[in-house]
Amino acid sequence: KPSPFKYVVEDSYGGKICNLTICSNCKTVNERPETFYPLSLEIKGYKNIHESLSKFIQGEVISDYQCDACKQKADVTKSCLIQKVPNFLIIHLQGFALTTRNSRMEDQFKIVVPSELNVYNYTTDKQKGQGNPDEYEFKLKGIVLHYGSAEFGHYFSYIKETESKWIEFNDERVREFDPHDIEFDCFGG
């Protein structure tokens, strides 16, 4: 039924990535937009979120691909860029790996996540030389953590209330959290 709130989640948290494929034979570029709510990034093997974002957009070569435009098999480069940033950017850090033994999660990765993040360099606007880089700036406002394994675990969060005050929400325990502990407690410090 009609509602003024029908698209509130999409309008607030929905962004778009552009999946690109470029044929090495005929140079045809295919663009396929895809909506995201959290932007999922792998962090294993990366020192910081910028390295992870660079790998996200870097792309890969796929051999023996049937091109729809030239109707021939050719190598294509497949890559991804951020096409539209949401008002509130949620980044899901894939900080775990499922192992074959006992299907347990191993989350021994450390990554540096800045308190401010500009994603302009990872966008279609940057590629086209358009847009204002200041419009791609985000400030860290909250962190959701999972402790446990693939079989069980516990989620809780840290929320930034003011510039210097963070609150821990852990079930019925709600208390202030020292922001100087973020790197150690949240990102494998």
Side-chain angles (χ1 to χ4, degrees):
K1 67 181 167 180
S3 168
F5 305 109
K6 184 175 182 178
Y7 298 106
V8 71
V9 172
E10 184 175 336
D11 291 345
S12 298
Y13 304 104
K16 289 204 182 301
I17 56 173
C18 182
N19 294 295
L20 300 166
T21 54
I22 304 168
C23 177
S24 63
N25 189 35
C26 68
K27 308 300 183 212
T28 297
V29 177
N30 287 317
E31 296 183 9
R32 186 179 50 84
E34 180 181 336
T35 300
F36 70 86
Y37 292 96
L39 184 63
S40 284
L41 299 174
E42 289 193 32
I43 62 170
K44 183 178 180 182
Y46 304 112
K47 294 180 208 148
N48 59 57
I49 201 160
H50 289 287
E51 284 184 7
S52 181
L53 281 163
S54 293
K55 178 62 177 168
F56 179 75
I57 68 166
Q58 180 181 27
E60 62 184 326
V61 175
I62 299 172
S63 298
D64 212 26
Y65 182 87
Q66 181 69 38
C67 177
D68 292 336
C70 67
K71 308 292 186 212
Q72 295 181 21
K73 288 196 176 204
D75 290 349
V76 295
T77 302
K78 181 181 178 191
S79 64
C80 185
L81 292 167
I82 300 171
Q83 188 172 36
K84 174 190 169 281
V85 293
N87 291 319
F88 302 97
L89 178 62
I90 298 171
I91 298 177
H92 169 238
L93 301 177
Q94 297 176 14
F96 62 88
L98 292 177
T99 64
T100 54
R101 59 173 206 266
N102 300 330
S103 298
R104 293 184 181 260
M105 278 194 258
E106 295 181 0
D107 57 359
Q108 304 300 319
F109 311 121
K110 177 182 172 155
I111 188 162
V112 176
V113 176
S115 59
E116 294 186 5
L117 177 66
N118 190 304
V119 296
Y120 179 71
N121 289 335
Y122 315 104
T123 66
T124 54
D125 280 353
K126 164 74 175 183
Q127 184 187 48
K128 296 174 184 176
Q130 301 173 344
N132 178 357
D134 293 340
E135 294 175 8
Y136 298 87
E137 186 76 33
F138 293 91
K139 293 183 180 183
L140 183 63
K141 296 291 186 182
I143 303 163
V144 177
L145 294 173
H146 176 268
Y147 280 110
S149 68
E151 290 87 23
F152 62 90
H154 179 69
Y155 286 94
F156 62 97
S157 62
Y158 298 111
I159 305 298
K160 185 177 186 181
E161 187 174 63
T162 65
E163 282 304 310
S164 61
K165 185 177 179 183
W166 283 72
I167 307 293
E168 176 186 343
F169 293 89
N170 190 347
D171 292 337
E172 62 275 345
R173 184 173 69 184
V174 177
R175 63 184 179 134
E176 284 193 40
F177 176 76
D178 186 346
H180 295 101
D181 293 335
I182 287 175
E183 181 179 348
F184 181 77
D185 287 354
C186 302
F187 303 119

